[in-house]
Amino acid sequence: MYDVAIIGGGPGGYAAALYAHNFGLSVALIEKDKVGGTCLHRGCIPAKAWLHTADVFTEVAGAADVGVVSSPPVVDWDRARRRKDAVVDQLHSGLNGLMKKRRVDVLAGFGRLAGRGTVDVTAADGAVSRIEAKTVIVATGSVPRAIPGYEIDGDRIVTSDHALDWPQQPQRVAVIGAGAIGAEFASLLADLGSTVHLFEVLDQVVPGVEPGAARVLARALGKKGVQIHTGTAVEPPRVTPTGVVVPFAGESVEVDVVLVAVGRAPVTAGVGLEEAGVGLDRGYVLADRETMLTGAPGVYAVGDIVAGTPQLAHAGFAEGMAAITHIATGVAAPVNYRAIPLVVYTAPEVASVGLTERQARSAGYDVETHDHGIAGVGRAIIKGQTDGLVKIVVQKDGPIVGATVVGPAAGELIHELMYAVGWEALPVEAAAFIHAHPTLAEAVGESLLAASGRSLH
Ligand code: NAI
């Protein structure tokens, strides 16, 4: 009898498995594919490896501007892909090593709830074994969504699962959906020289972020040559001998491949959830935000399957840790959803934490905002990367409730604002600290100063 059986070894499940050692819990981790899940094998990590290749390409292409003379760069797609695989493999073997060290029993197979405290594990050969556990954490993750008319064939019409392993660089690409996945692929493909059309049904790229940040990103993508079609619904495609024709708004464009990036759907079928009494809402699992407990006794849910929480690897990590803490101690240690950073790894990066101005206002806050462009920041000028801004949303006479950073290293810079939002810092408190000069972080420092009512530059 295990203390915990975890179904699914992605970030939510594996974080729970690793964290359990802090409490001396015995753990079985059931995984049908590879420990690491979408994030490590088909998501965050391989995508960021490709984006790094694109960043290096851009840097080399612009090297002459900073006095480094080299030949114009050429993309070695196969080598970039092998390097991406090597990064994934290194992390995968590290993770497997950590599982052994923490004495997690990793069971290969498909897990299914089969009565209270019982999980059936079906191996690839069909053999079923049964394990008993005092509690179960379901962390079965998500898969790319499809849209009507766009039948995913893995060749002409693909999802990010396929795009991360394209055998060669597609020259003409239509990306449908300008969320995090669509924007990141559009950015990297354009940087590497592909022709990209980016379609988004809503009225801005990366619709969840501050409109001003989205404008900076859209401008930067435009400069790379991405043709952006916001507020545009595509119609069903026509596959031709030379490619795929994507019709939209009375026009059409022919591309080699269409990448569908319109969101991810939870994987909850076949896991025995409803039979166990777990509540579902359109496939997502209803779980208590304080404990991650579902409606079924002893059954927890974490990660992308949870209704209403962000589909982000690090949210999954946090939910896995929260579930384990509740299992071990009986005390709720809720995830601080208010201060989870979001990073979109486009060039430039877009990062945010807390509420956007619009979200704050519609939540009833009386807010003021402070914007600071990075064009005057010394380090940004030195790096030749001056597209960007910092925006801080402050409750009037109160704490910082949200922030957005666009620009080089925005994904790192957002973390100081994460503390400000998480600790509900007043601008005057946050502005009291001195940022090193010259750094990109000075843009944040300047914004905090402005928010405190006394700006410098
Ligand atoms: P998403 O939900 O972030 O974006 C999908 C976009 O597609 C939305 O902007 C939506 O308006 C648009 N869309 C939907 N149907 C459409 C249609 N028929 N035509 C045109 N546009 C359409 O989903 P995405 O980008 O697929 O990512 C999935 C999940 O993974 C998200 O929760 C995302 O936050 C997460 N993720 C996070 C990353 C990061 O943090 N860097 C990177 C990749 C994914």
Side-chain angles (χ1 to χ4, degrees):
M1 164 85 76
Y2 290 99
D3 291 319
V4 195
I6 302 169
I7 306 179
Y14 82 66
L18 293 178
Y19 199 63
H21 90 108
N22 291 297
F23 303 96
L25 299 174
S26 60
V27 179
L29 178 64
I30 302 149
E31 169 56 54
K32 65 178 165 50
D33 189 3
K34 292 185 205 153
V35 174
T38 298
C39 173
L40 177 52
H41 300 283
R42 293 176 300 282
C44 332
I45 297 295
K48 267 81 262 181
W50 278 114
L51 281 151
H52 181 64
T53 290
D55 282 348
V56 173
F57 185 92
T58 305
E59 193 129 343
V60 175
D65 296 344
V66 296
V68 178
V69 178
S70 69
S71 348
V74 175
V75 182
D76 182 341
W77 189 265
D78 194 50
R79 186 129 175 208
R81 194 167 59 132
R82 280 185 279 125
R83 204 259 170 179
K84 176 270 294 177
D85 289 339
V87 169
V88 171
D89 288 348
Q90 182 178 339
L91 287 166
H92 185 214
S93 76
L95 193 54
N96 282 332
L98 209 47
M99 290 296 160
K100 283 209 183 78
K101 201 166 138 202
R102 300 269 169 92
R103 299 184 198 292
V104 173
D105 282 348
V106 178
L107 310 177
F110 185 95
R112 184 173 198 287
L113 296 171
R116 181 121 195 229
T118 308
V119 179
D120 281 346
V121 183
T122 308
D125 63 4
V128 180
S129 51
R130 175 160 284 194
I131 62 165
E132 308 289 330
K134 292 180 197 155
T135 55
V136 179
I137 299 177
V138 184
T140 42
S142 63
V143 288
R145 276 186 200 284
I147 44 172
Y150 283 77
E151 192 77 27
I152 304 298
D153 63 9
D155 178 29
R156 291 293 190 192
I157 302 178
V158 307
T159 68
S160 51
D161 287 356
H162 312 100
L164 291 164
D165 270 316
W166 271 324
Q168 67 255 326
Q169 181 175 1
Q171 293 312 311
R172 302 171 302 167
V173 186
V175 179
I176 302 181
I181 295 181
E184 288 180 1
F185 270 99
S187 179
L188 83 90
L189 288 167
D191 277 342
L192 294 175
S194 301
T195 302
V196 181
H197 286 263
L198 178 59
F199 293 95
E200 169 57 53
V201 81
L202 298 179
D203 61 1
Q204 69 171 50
V205 297
V206 206
V209 305
E210 290 281 2
R215 276 196 296 277
V216 175
L217 176 61
R219 249 196 329 268
L221 290 174
K223 268 196 229 165
K224 301 177 202 288
V226 176
Q227 295 173 63
I228 299 173
H229 311 272
T230 43
T232 305
V234 294
E235 287 140 39
R238 288 192 312 276
V239 175
T240 66
T242 47
V244 192
V245 174
V246 176
F248 62 97
E251 293 179 55
S252 67
V253 57
E254 191 189 60
V255 293
D256 301 319
V257 60
V258 178
L259 168 58
V260 179
V262 295
R264 297 182 61 89
V267 177
T268 44
V271 192
L273 293 172
E274 273 167 319
E275 299 86 328
V278 174
L280 293 175
D281 177 15
R282 283 163 286 181
Y284 289 94
V285 175
L286 298 170
D288 173 43
R289 296 270 193 122
E290 303 280 305
T291 60
M292 309 317 297
L293 254 176
T294 68
V299 179
Y300 294 74
V302 304
D304 282 6
I305 56 168
V306 177
T309 70
Q311 285 183 313
L312 298 169
H314 45 289
F317 291 150
E319 290 171 350
M321 293 189 283
I324 287 294
T325 306
H326 188 252
I327 289 168
T329 67
V331 178
V335 173
N336 185 355
Y337 290 108
R338 241 175 11 85
I340 295 185
L342 165 78
V343 182
V344 184
Y345 297 81
T346 41
E349 293 179 352
V350 178
S352 70
V353 66
L355 302 174
T356 62
E357 180 179 353
R358 190 190 297 166
Q359 288 167 340
R361 290 195 196 285
S362 53
Y365 289 107
D366 188 8
V367 292
E368 51 190 44
T369 66
H370 300 274
D371 279 50
H372 196 88
I374 67 164
V377 174
R379 193 91 196 277
I381 295 172
I382 291 165
K383 291 173 85 64
Q385 296 176 8
T386 49
D387 286 342
L389 57 81
V390 177
K391 174 166 177 170
I392 300 194
V393 182
V394 184
Q395 206 178 330
K396 249 184 210 141
D397 302 319
I400 299 165
V401 294
T404 300
V405 182
V406 186
E412 309 297 330
L413 297 178
I414 197 66
H415 290 89
E416 59 175 290
L417 292 161
M418 171 194 76
Y419 285 119
V421 171
W423 281 332
E424 299 178 37
L426 300 172
V428 69
E429 294 170 322
F433 297 97
I434 314 299
H435 287 76
H437 176 74
T439 57
L440 295 168
E442 283 178 291
V444 176
E446 290 283 350
S447 310
L448 291 170
L449 274 173
S452 75
R454 294 184 183 167
S455 55
L456 177 60
H457 288 94

